[in-house]
Amino acid sequence: MDHYQTPLDPIFHALADPTRRAVVQRLGRGPAPVKELAAPFDMALPSFMKHIGVLEEAGLIASTKQGRVRTCRLSPDGLAAAERWFDEQRAIWASRYDNLDNLLTTLGGETDET
Amino acid sequence: MDHYQTPLDPIFHALADPTRRAVVQRLGRGPAPVKELAAPFDMALPSFMKHIGVLEEAGLIASTKQGRVRTCRLSPDGLAAAERWFDEQRAIWASRYDNLDNLLTTLGGETDET
DNA sequence: CATATAGTTAGCTGTATGGATCACTATCAG
DNA sequence: CTGATAGTGATCCATACAGCTAACTATATG
């Protein structure tokens, strides 16, 4: 049961770029062909395609080619993996505050919450 | 109304490295001096300090120096900013499904919004 | 068939990144 | 004062990254 986790490095790396985050955001509204995705950006197509490649490698998007058009869509698993990491962190802080709370409680001898 | 938002680029970039994520995770359990943070990693101190620098620049951690010891602690704002981005994305997907729902409803001939 | 469209492949380039070393400062312990 | 400890600062190096152009393939379309 190895719970094979999506590697976070490429996911966060992919998200560390405004162009790529914008693409993710746009795809959140639904699938789109590369050409349309590229339109808002002042960038040569090959350069833009690299971003698509990075996103796809990271498992954040998926794409299929039909005729000469490649359509991209969001693949929520990647995002979910990243969110999971944040959840873990929050769990850690939480347990820390619990401990602090326990400590204070122990020291104070009484739990007064107001 | 500029709502000066913490820039996401450096935050995600900082998180795109296992060493740095590990540091964040460790600091989630409470503050620690650099030396202690560096211990688990097989890396020269100056190299490790760069990671600390990246995290601090990104606003993910803060540090203060007392005597010759620099103590680092988590600064939750950075993490929060990143999480906020995920929240936005989820909101977008959600509205998309809403639209799909509306569309289907419209096609069905009735607008029912509970 | 001729041409436009949508990607793809293959380089090239400047800058950033992650690592190392060496030399240095500043503090604490005897 | 002497030495050890905890960071800093200043390079240096190899690799990765983000952008470019130019040339190519493959699919529509007139």
Side-chain angles (χ1 to χ4, degrees), chain A residues 89 92-93 96, chain B residues 23-32 59-62 72-77 79:
Chain A
Q89 300 321 302
I92 293 172
W93 313 337
R96 183 199 161 193
Chain B
V23 168
V24 167
Q25 187 150 341
R26 182 122 173 192
L27 287 180
R29 299 197 161 82
L60 289 166
I61 72 171
C72 303
R73 76 205 65 250
L74 217 53
S75 117
D77 298 1
L79 272 305

Side-chain angles (χ1 to χ4, degrees), chain A residues 34-35 45-46 49 65 68-70:
Chain A
V34 170
K35 193 70 190 313
L45 233 220
M49 287 299 291
K65 196 169 178 181
R68 59 184 164 171
V69 173
R70 176 172 296 280

Side-chain angles (χ1 to χ4, degrees), chain B residues 80-97:
Chain B
E83 288 196 89
R84 216 173 303 132
W85 185 82
F86 283 98
D87 290 346
E88 276 178 47
Q89 301 320 303
R90 240 175 305 143
I92 293 173
W93 313 337
S95 71
R96 184 198 163 196
Y97 288 125

Side-chain angles (χ1 to χ4, degrees), chain B residues 54-69:
Chain B
V54 169
L55 286 167
E56 200 158 5
E57 281 287 308
L60 289 166
I61 72 171
S63 73
T64 46
K65 197 168 178 180
Q66 178 120 280
R68 58 185 165 168
V69 174

Side-chain angles (χ1 to χ4, degrees), chain B residues 33-35 45-46 49-50 65 68-70:
Chain B
V34 169
K35 191 71 192 313
L45 233 220
M49 286 300 291
K50 278 195 194 172
K65 197 168 178 180
R68 58 185 165 168
V69 174
R70 175 171 297 281

